[in-house]
Amino acid sequence: MALTLAEKLLQAHIVPEACPETKFEKGSPIERGKDIAIRIDQTLTQDATGTMAYLQFETIGIPRVKTEVSVSYIDHNTLQTDYKNMDDHRYLQSVAEKYGLYFSRAGNGICHQVHLERFGKPGKTLLGSDSHTPTGGGIGMIAIGAGGLDVAVAMGGGAFHTPMPKIFGVELTGKLKKGVSAKDIILEVLRQETVKGGVGAIYEYFGEGVESLTVPQRATVTNMGAELGATCSIFPSDASTKRFLESMGRGSDWTEQKADEGCIYDKLIKINLDSLKPMAAQPHSPDAVTNIENLAGQPITQVVIGSCTNSSLDDLESVAAIVKGKHIAPGVEAGIAPGSRATLMMAEKAGILGDLIEAGFRILESACGPCIGMGFAPNSNGVSLRTFNRNFKGRSGTADANVYLVSPETAAASAITGVFTDPTTLDYKDPAYKKGLRLSLLEGKDKRLKKSVILSKATDSGMLIHPLSEEKASQVEILRGPNIKPCPPCKDFSDTLSFPVLLKAGDNVSTDDIMPAGTKVLPFRSNIPEISKFTYERLDADFYNRAEKTGFAGCFVIGGENFGQGSSREHAALGPMYLGVRAVITKSFARIHKANLINYGIIPITFANPEDYDKISQDDVIEIKNITTSLKEEKPFQITVTGKNGSFEVEGVNTIAKRSADIILAGGLAAYTRKGGN
């Protein structure tokens, strides 16, 4: 039977003994929603999530990672205002040396961009403790974001469990016009599908329109596909993929990967690239999409180009083509962060970097930076155009800023005019890469520049530390700063829970709302007692104080649709766990956050009747009985609510798979793993 590319790669990686309940026949579709367990070939972590992942990995007791490739990246917390971040970096480097990982030093670049350049291989699986790990789908990988604890288990050789996703096909026809970007492709998908449309699904791109897209363009689409709530997104591996890998000095890593002819998708989306226009996601959601022509002429105050979505050489070249010989408009602050050190060096050799500096761009570090509120925050009430993937309120570091997500072309055009500007209305030379020249650097200022010089920059690995031999690794001492604390254990499982509702939240609550990032919070990522003080701060500034008054004995949280969207940060589950949250009851969950709650022993429950959400108030008391029976027999949760609206019964849907139920019963994933669970 004809299979989609995603189905073929998943089936090739299934570990049958880890999911015996799911029966499947190779070459036939697996029933959607059934638990599958897949072998993980590669892992990545970044420093905001990595410290906790490796603290957990240490407790597993395995002397060396068992994956083909595991990489620890430093890219989030590179702003070193005191000892905390640097201490964590030293810890992460010593762990990498001890356990056989590659270590990407601060300044080497953003994990997703570097991984695409250095390690990504078509046909492989990648699990990363960052929600934008699906970037790897641009090179033909099954690349999935997860919590750090799931990644720790995968590094130890354990399978990754997930419900079998639906496969949504996105057929691309036509070709992008000058001034229209790959960013506009994913913005169009978000406009159609919304931030919760992809929950439980993989988006697979195919069609003749794919052929004209470079790997960095495809990676933009798969990266921001995370905002759909999708498990991941994937493109085929074809001639364009081969050219990219060859340009990175890795041509031997290429293999062809494509769907079977005649395969059937669970849903089909058609996009004609010829008809796309430049678009923007308006404040404060990635799916609040409109055409730039509807915003044209409105003044802006800031432009930032970069992040793991749009910081490739292709992106920088697009910007340089528009701003060359011009200058950033008065009243506009403009910054640009190349995605990797290699990209920065290639841009410098080609003259692209000089064009950007001459135009007035501030060159920022090759790191996540402004995307997670680590510097370059907008002015108060500012209008910031960013080529990033998220514009949740306050994420930029300025609570009242209005952040728009746009393409590099739109950002560049608006930077030089000072107002929202449709780049298709400007007269400029189309970048060389759009004409099929992957090494467009040969069009640089120095006409004598040789391809070998370019490749030497593309393949430079001076900031990448390779794994030590097992003998040398055994001599390594792990370095721990005073801010690094052991991960606190999960609360003991109880068959009956009776606690107050300490928070009632609305729809589309993000992990930024649950556990903010930024300069104030992230330095405590290795210290759960301290970082927990910021839990739910953006929803209720008094939450920690009220939880403290209960002695952190226990409480419940109520939420609306798509609860926990956004980042994979497991601190959004760790903080609540530490403060005593025992169950979260919502209309629906985002995939990664639901998994993280389970990993830390918090029960995720959805309302059988969404209207019951309206009946419950903050400070009501909820009692859930016979939880063991519900989990073991996959029965609904029977919930009694007593409070503002009297006493009444509510039914909670049990969407927890058998293994996940066993994890909750064991007291979290770490305890489950130590007891020998798969």
Side-chain angles (χ1 to χ4, degrees):
M1 189 171 190
L3 297 179
T4 66
L5 173 56
E7 286 175 309
K8 289 167 70 174
L9 296 187
L10 288 172
Q11 287 200 12
H13 286 83
I14 278 184
V15 183
E17 61 271 21
C19 55
E21 295 84 9
T22 299
K23 306 298 180 185
F24 78 97
E25 200 174 314
K26 203 157 187 177
S28 297
I30 301 173
E31 185 180 345
R32 306 318 193 221
K34 289 291 186 181
D35 182 55
I36 60 170
I38 59 172
R39 183 183 74 256
I40 298 299
D41 300 318
Q42 302 184 354
T43 67
L44 68 80
T45 60
Q46 37 88 342
D47 46 319
T49 59
T51 49
M52 198 53 59
Y54 295 115
L55 286 168
Q56 297 280 17
F57 182 78
E58 287 185 79
T59 68
I60 296 174
I62 293 173
R64 196 170 180 87
V65 296
K66 295 185 177 182
T67 49
E68 295 176 11
V69 171
S70 284
V71 191
S72 175
Y73 291 94
I74 307 297
D75 61 359
H76 275 58
N77 298 298
T78 57
L79 186 62
Q80 293 160 215
T81 57
D82 63 18
Y83 66 91
K84 298 183 187 70
N85 285 344
M86 183 60 178
D87 277 1
D88 280 357
H89 299 169
R90 284 166 58 80
Y91 166 76
L92 291 169
Q93 182 171 347
S94 66
V95 165
E97 293 171 347
K98 184 76 171 176
Y99 294 110
L101 291 90
Y102 286 88
F103 182 72
S104 180
R105 301 164 68 179
N108 196 43
I110 302 171
C111 58
H112 309 301
Q113 179 70 23
V114 177
H115 208 88
L116 202 69
E117 295 169 352
R118 301 281 183 224
F119 299 107
K121 287 187 181 183
K124 297 292 186 178
T125 54
L126 168 66
L127 193 71
S129 63
D130 188 286
S131 57
H132 291 110
T133 300
T135 304
I139 208 168
M141 302 182 78
I142 290 289
I144 301 173
L149 187 48
D150 281 316
V151 177
V153 170
M155 287 190 292
F160 176 69
H161 290 250
T162 184
M164 177 62 198
K166 297 177 181 178
I167 315 295
F168 293 169
V170 184
E171 183 178 10
L172 302 182
T173 57
K175 192 173 182 178
L176 293 173
K177 297 179 293 187
K178 187 174 79 169
V180 184
S181 164
K183 185 64 157 281
D184 298 309
I185 298 174
I186 188 58
L187 286 173
E188 172 61 18
V189 178
L190 276 158
R191 186 189 68 78
Q192 293 188 33
E193 294 286 282
T194 78
V195 292
K196 58 188 178 185
V199 174
I202 292 175
Y203 287 80
E204 182 169 311
Y205 292 80
F206 69 99
E208 51 94 5
V210 167
E211 297 173 11
S212 64
L213 300 178
T214 66
V215 164
Q217 289 178 299
R218 298 174 187 186
T220 288
V221 175
T222 55
N223 172 287
M224 202 168 169
E227 311 322 315
L228 295 160
T231 302
C232 63
S233 302
I234 191 169
F235 277 83
S237 172
D238 54 14
S240 182
T241 316
K242 187 176 183 180
R243 285 195 298 272
F244 173 80
L245 287 169
E246 288 173 343
S247 74
M248 295 292 111
R250 298 199 295 122
S252 61
D253 285 343
W254 181 79
T255 56
E256 185 180 34
Q257 304 290 336
K258 62 181 181 179
D260 293 335
E261 191 171 339
C263 67
I264 298 173
Y265 294 98
D266 295 292
K267 179 180 181 179
L268 185 61
I269 300 163
K270 295 187 177 184
I271 296 177
N272 183 350
L273 302 183
D274 292 329
S275 63
L276 282 185
K277 297 181 178 181
M279 288 178 274
Q282 304 171 94
H284 298 282
S285 180
D287 63 358
V289 176
T290 188
N291 290 339
I292 292 295
E293 61 189 13
N294 297 328
L295 302 168
Q298 297 181 31
I300 67 171
T301 59
Q302 189 190 60
V303 165
V304 199
I305 294 163
S307 90
C308 54
T309 318
N310 283 119
S311 58
S312 70
L313 187 63
D314 289 3
D315 297 315
L316 301 194
E317 189 180 11
S318 291
V319 174
I322 292 173
V323 304
K324 185 177 175 65
K326 303 178 178 63
H327 204 276
I328 304 304
V332 175
E333 177 190 48
I336 193 161
S340 70
R341 177 172 175 265
T343 295
L344 180 61
M345 292 192 295
M346 288 190 288
E348 187 272 328
K349 284 296 179 186
I352 291 171
L353 185 61
D355 290 339
L356 298 173
I357 293 172
E358 288 173 16
F361 278 98
R362 291 167 57 185
I363 306 302
L364 310 178
E365 187 174 16
S366 293
C368 299
C371 185
I372 53 167
M374 299 293 277
F376 218 77
N379 57 293
S380 56
N381 292 305
V383 177
S384 180
L385 273 62
R386 302 182 162 212
T387 65
F388 302 172
N389 41 46
R390 289 180 180 144
N391 59 344
F392 303 142
K393 188 174 179 64
R395 181 179 169 91
S396 67
T398 303
D400 60 359
N402 291 297
V403 174
Y404 293 77
L405 306 176
V406 298
S407 70
E409 291 87 343
T410 296
S414 303
I416 59 176
T417 62
V419 297
F420 279 93
T421 301
D422 183 338
T424 64
T425 64
L426 301 183
D427 183 22
Y428 67 95
K429 186 178 179 181
D430 216 0
Y433 79 84
K434 286 196 172 181
K435 301 171 186 175
L437 301 175
R438 173 64 190 96
L439 287 177
S440 56
L441 299 170
L442 299 176
E443 302 262 317
K445 287 183 176 180
D446 187 349
K447 299 299 181 183
R448 296 167 298 176
L449 201 61
K450 293 183 178 180
K451 183 175 179 179
S452 61
V453 177
I454 299 301
L455 283 173
S456 71
K457 301 305 177 186
T459 59
D460 179 271
S461 58
M463 296 288 280
L464 191 65
I465 299 176
H466 289 240
L468 296 179
S469 67
E470 290 190 47
E471 182 181 354
K472 289 183 178 179
S474 67
Q475 308 298 317
V476 172
E477 179 185 352
I478 294 178
L479 305 175
R480 305 178 199 279
N483 187 52
I484 297 177
K485 306 295 183 186
C487 182
C490 298
K491 308 295 183 184
D492 291 335
F493 175 79
S494 178
D495 190 53
T496 298
L497 298 175
S498 182
F499 298 111
V501 174
L502 279 198
L503 177 71
K504 184 176 181 180
D507 293 340
N508 296 320
V509 168
S510 72
T511 48
D512 282 83
D513 295 322
I514 300 169
M515 182 61 74
T519 56
K520 184 173 71 170
V521 180
L522 281 183
F524 295 110
R525 63 199 176 276
S526 307
N527 188 333
I528 301 306
E530 284 300 314
I531 204 171
S532 69
K533 294 176 181 178
F534 302 96
T535 303
Y536 298 120
E537 182 183 66
R538 290 184 180 169
L539 300 173
D540 183 348
D542 196 43
F543 183 87
Y544 178 84
N545 292 332
R546 289 187 291 107
E548 188 177 37
K549 287 177 181 176
T550 71
F552 307 137
C555 64
F556 295 110
V557 168
I558 303 297
E561 295 276 4
N562 198 29
F563 189 87
Q565 68 164 333
S567 167
S568 67
R569 67 190 69 157
E570 63 188 343
H571 293 78
L574 268 166
M577 181 274 288
Y578 184 77
L579 299 186
V581 176
R582 305 303 300 271
V584 179
I585 309 171
T586 72
K587 294 180 181 179
S588 65
F589 288 93
R591 176 187 64 85
I592 301 178
H593 186 60
K594 179 182 178 182
N596 283 340
L597 292 175
I598 290 168
N599 286 349
Y600 288 100
I602 300 174
I603 307 172
I605 303 171
T606 54
F607 289 106
N609 181 359
E611 293 179 1
D612 287 336
Y613 167 88
D614 298 317
K615 301 175 184 177
I616 301 175
S617 302
Q618 188 169 299
D619 297 325
D620 286 357
V621 173
I622 283 178
E623 183 176 62
I624 310 174
K625 291 183 176 181
N626 301 317
I627 298 173
T628 304
T629 301
S630 294
L631 290 172
K632 286 186 173 182
E633 299 180 12
E634 299 183 27
K635 291 183 175 180
F637 294 100
Q638 298 303 319
I639 302 166
T640 302
V641 183
T642 304
K644 186 177 178 180
N645 292 317
S647 183
F648 55 93
E649 301 294 320
V650 169
E651 185 174 288
V653 177
N654 182 357
T655 57
I656 301 170
K658 181 184 182 302
R659 175 178 178 270
S660 295
D662 290 341
I663 288 171
I664 293 171
L665 291 166
L669 181 57
Y672 174 81
T673 303
R674 285 193 293 271
K675 294 173 183 176
N678 288 318

